[in-house]
Amino acid sequence: MRTVTLPVAYMPLVDAAPLIVAREMGFDHAEGVSLDLRPAPSWSSLRDMLAFGHVDAAHLLSPVPVAMALGLGGIATPLSAVSVLSLNGNIIGVGTQLAGRLTDQGYGFDFTDAAAAGAALAKAAGDVLVFGVPFPFSMHVELLRYWVAGTELASKQVEIRTVPPPLMAQALAGGEIDAFCVGEPWGSFAVDDSVGALLLPGKAIWTCAPEKVLAVRNDWAETEPHLLRSLMRAVWRAGRWLSNTDSRTTASEMLSRKTYLNVSPELIDRAIMGEFTISARGEQRHVDGFVEFFDGAATFPWRSQAKWIAHQLAQRNGLDVSTAERQAACVFRSDLYRRELFGLGVETPGASEKLEGALPESTTVASTNGSLVLAPNVFFDRRIFEPTG
């Protein structure tokens, strides 16, 4: 079967799995395309690769296309998030000195209580606490700021610095940062390098945070609808394959290859299985659904998710919140998701927005063909975000 080559940019992270699996398992060829996966050295370069037409699609931080739509970041190329590639998957860690202070004060690193973790860290840290994150417009930053504002960390001077994910452990060891929020496997890498300990999964702050999206330029989506359809369907099939527990060991081996993440399969297993070694002492913690690629309508690009991101960005940057939310709603393309995946048997929600944070447990909702089950969706402080109209 003849295929069309599609250049797609990604960062070497566990949550690039749907793209890597689509290529390695041949889901792309089954849809008539061949994914030419191109690793990027940083999120800024990846964004530029997509914005300036060097690739047709990208594995992108979910706040980036929203920020661009709001005129933030200096590049205004209109982008569409046509599906969510992953929910959650971030980890917060601290340097060994801070970890020692937390242990000395009796903190148990329970991995579930974000408020208690914030209180403990506020007590253990100095007056200034410096976090490393991969990019200024990222879910890492949004989760950190939301967590800090809602805990005793609000009394501290918190600084956030940009550090490429593969260099996070090095920055921690060199004293450039005190803590980090990063995607796996780079948090676990810091543990194995004996320079840090894991404090909290991002999921403990928001159980349903859209972490990465499949992004394309608006003009490309309009001029190449057949290629967009093939791309989206191949990636959706990969997410479904990843949801099978029997696929996880194979997925870890795929991602570990030198051409992709170039780390041990065991490091990748931790994120996919949710089984973490949190310190050099070998302590273990389990996080059910640490990163989610499919179940619970994980791949659906809810406009309310984009509006939540826009709400946070607008408040910090002095923008009109209602206008920002309205602009953001056009970025997460639930309309294209429904249109391009039609006929695959995909159950899509009947609505394109929901109350974010309002589902304490799995909930059955109406779908286009009947019903589907949404995953629990709560913030650690139990607030509920209601999008503006």
Side-chain angles (χ1 to χ4, degrees):
M1 180 179 179
R2 189 174 181 180
T3 62
V4 176
T5 299
L6 289 183
V8 181
Y10 75 100
M11 281 288 284
L13 292 163
V14 170
D15 55 30
L19 289 170
I20 294 170
V21 166
R23 176 181 175 176
E24 291 294 322
M25 294 298 295
F27 296 125
D28 57 346
H29 285 195
E31 295 294 340
V33 294
S34 179
L35 300 187
D36 175 15
L37 300 184
R38 303 181 182 182
S42 68
W43 285 112
S44 58
S45 62
L46 187 149
R47 175 201 59 191
D48 295 350
M49 288 166 72
L50 179 61
F52 299 132
H54 301 300
V55 295
D56 293 329
H59 157 245
L60 198 60
L61 296 155
S62 60
V64 169
V66 174
M68 292 169 69
L70 303 186
L72 302 173
I75 296 178
T77 305
L79 301 181
S80 288
V82 295
S83 70
V84 173
L85 288 176
S86 60
L87 295 179
N88 308 314
N90 288 328
I91 199 85
I92 295 173
V94 296
T96 51
Q97 286 189 343
L98 260 181
R101 290 182 211 145
L102 286 163
T103 299
D104 290 344
Q105 68 190 31
Y107 182 63
F109 293 79
D110 76 355
F111 244 49
T112 60
D113 190 336
L121 185 57
K123 183 178 178 182
D127 293 335
V128 179
L129 183 60
V130 182
F131 279 95
V133 299
F135 197 65
F137 301 111
S138 63
M139 191 55 65
H140 313 85
V141 171
E142 300 311 325
L143 291 176
L144 273 180
R145 290 195 180 278
Y146 191 85
W147 178 52
V148 167
T151 65
E152 293 176 35
L153 286 168
S155 65
K156 298 290 181 179
Q157 180 182 336
V158 174
E159 297 180 6
I160 296 179
R161 298 180 183 172
T162 300
V163 180
L167 301 181
M168 204 65 75
Q170 182 179 326
L172 201 64
E176 299 170 39
I177 57 175
D178 304 308
F180 59 76
C181 182
V182 73
E184 281 292 280
W186 303 112
S188 291
F189 187 86
V191 171
D192 284 7
D193 220 24
S194 299
V195 298
L198 304 183
L199 178 68
L200 196 70
K203 186 178 180 181
I205 300 170
W206 183 11
T207 63
C208 223
E211 174 54 31
K212 303 297 190 310
V213 295
L214 179 63
V216 299
R217 291 182 308 283
N218 288 6
D219 59 355
W220 186 84
E222 292 168 3
T223 58
E224 303 288 354
H226 298 299
L227 293 179
L228 174 64
R229 178 181 175 85
S230 296
L231 171 65
M232 291 177 64
R233 291 162 76 92
V235 171
W236 182 86
R237 290 178 187 274
R240 182 176 61 179
W241 182 86
L242 282 161
S243 70
N244 187 335
T245 55
D246 294 337
S247 301
R248 293 174 180 175
T249 298
T250 302
S252 295
E253 291 172 352
M254 284 181 193
L255 269 63
S256 72
R257 294 172 187 166
K258 189 174 182 179
T259 50
Y260 298 125
L261 272 66
N262 193 27
V263 297
S264 73
E266 192 274 333
L267 265 183
I268 297 169
D269 269 342
R270 297 183 198 180
I272 291 179
M273 304 291 188
E275 301 289 348
F276 288 93
T277 300
I278 68 165
S279 75
R281 295 189 300 274
E283 299 165 278
Q284 302 290 308
R285 296 291 183 274
H286 175 73
V287 184
D288 188 36
F290 170 77
V291 59
E292 181 57 62
F293 299 111
F294 188 77
D295 290 335
T299 62
F300 187 75
W302 294 92
R303 291 178 178 173
S304 48
Q305 294 173 334
K307 288 186 174 184
W308 184 86
I309 294 168
H311 189 96
Q312 315 308 313
L313 292 173
Q315 286 188 321
R316 287 204 305 275
N317 291 278
L319 305 177
D320 179 76
V321 171
S322 296
T323 301
E325 288 188 30
R326 186 169 62 252
Q327 292 169 324
C330 300
V331 175
F332 275 39
R333 299 297 299 276
S334 51
D335 58 329
L336 291 181
Y337 184 94
R338 289 191 178 94
R339 187 184 80 191
E340 304 305 345
L341 296 184
F342 181 77
L344 272 183
V346 182
E347 288 288 350
T348 56
S352 296
E353 295 188 6
K354 63 184 186 299
L355 297 177
E356 297 295 341
L359 299 181
E361 56 190 26
S362 297
T363 304
T364 302
V365 300
S367 72
T368 50
N369 298 312
S371 64
L372 58 79
V373 178
L374 299 184
N377 184 350
V378 292
F379 295 100
F380 82 96
D381 56 7
R382 295 304 187 264
R383 290 186 180 182
I384 294 175
F385 172 72
E386 183 173 2
T388 59

